[in-house]
Amino acid sequence: MTAQEHRFETAPSAATAIGVFVTGTDTGIGKSVASACLLHALRAQGLRASGMKPVASGCEPSPDGWRNEDALLLQAASDPRPPYAEVNPYALPAPLAPELAAADAGVELELEAIAAAYARLAAAADRVVVEGVGGWAAPLSASLDQVDLVRALDLPVVLVVGLRLGCINHARLSARAIAADGRRLAGWIANDIDPDMRRADDNFRLLQARLPAPCLGRVPHLRDLAALSTVALDVSPLLAPA
């Protein structure tokens, strides 16, 4: 156990964190990178911030058990640094949709276990950034949608928009779905996942004009994840009362 993890376990249990749920316009659009940038931006405000990836498929074996690179990225961006089992309660080996990966592993995804891990994270942090899987409508299991988790934890939502052809449609549909499910879209983040996208700046401006929430910032196309802490995001909408 590292010194940071020891501080995590011994933090006062009375502390109450305000969390946020990070979803995306699709899978592979940089939710983990954006979530890590959010963690660094929150920490820059002097806050204790921890990341969480409740369900992760495509995990790799390690001496300490199954590990997921996205969950490890969030763990590394957290301070205090929580134990891996709190960051990623369900680490599934198969690189498939969670429902299929869980079935392959003989695992039943339970909302209660995720909520318990979140509560332990929240007891030691001022903010918890919870990263979902795929897009907003991607299910966790046959009986559990992501919105069920967001409702149970009572979290506002941040939408990550991958800047590529079709992103305006995907972003607007996602925002409508979030609202239709009765959840608050607290903000959105643009992520330059396609460095060759034509008129990316124009698309970004169109998104700014059409999405019903403030833009927290734009993540450049990063080739070095060490630069995550240098990305400027405006987290003030996440700090203001709902």
Side-chain angles (χ1 to χ4, degrees), residues 125-146:
D126 302 306
R127 296 292 187 278
V128 180
V129 175
V130 183
E131 182 195 341
V133 299
W136 177 253
L140 294 175
S141 72
S143 59
L144 185 63
D145 278 329
Q146 292 191 90

Side-chain angles (χ1 to χ4, degrees), residues 1 8 14 21 31 61 82 93 98 101 133 138 145 156 163 192 204 210 212 222:
M1 178 183 296
F8 180 91
F21 186 84
K31 292 187 304 297
V133 299
D145 278 329
L163 293 184
D192 281 288
F204 176 65
R210 286 168 170 80
L222 298 174

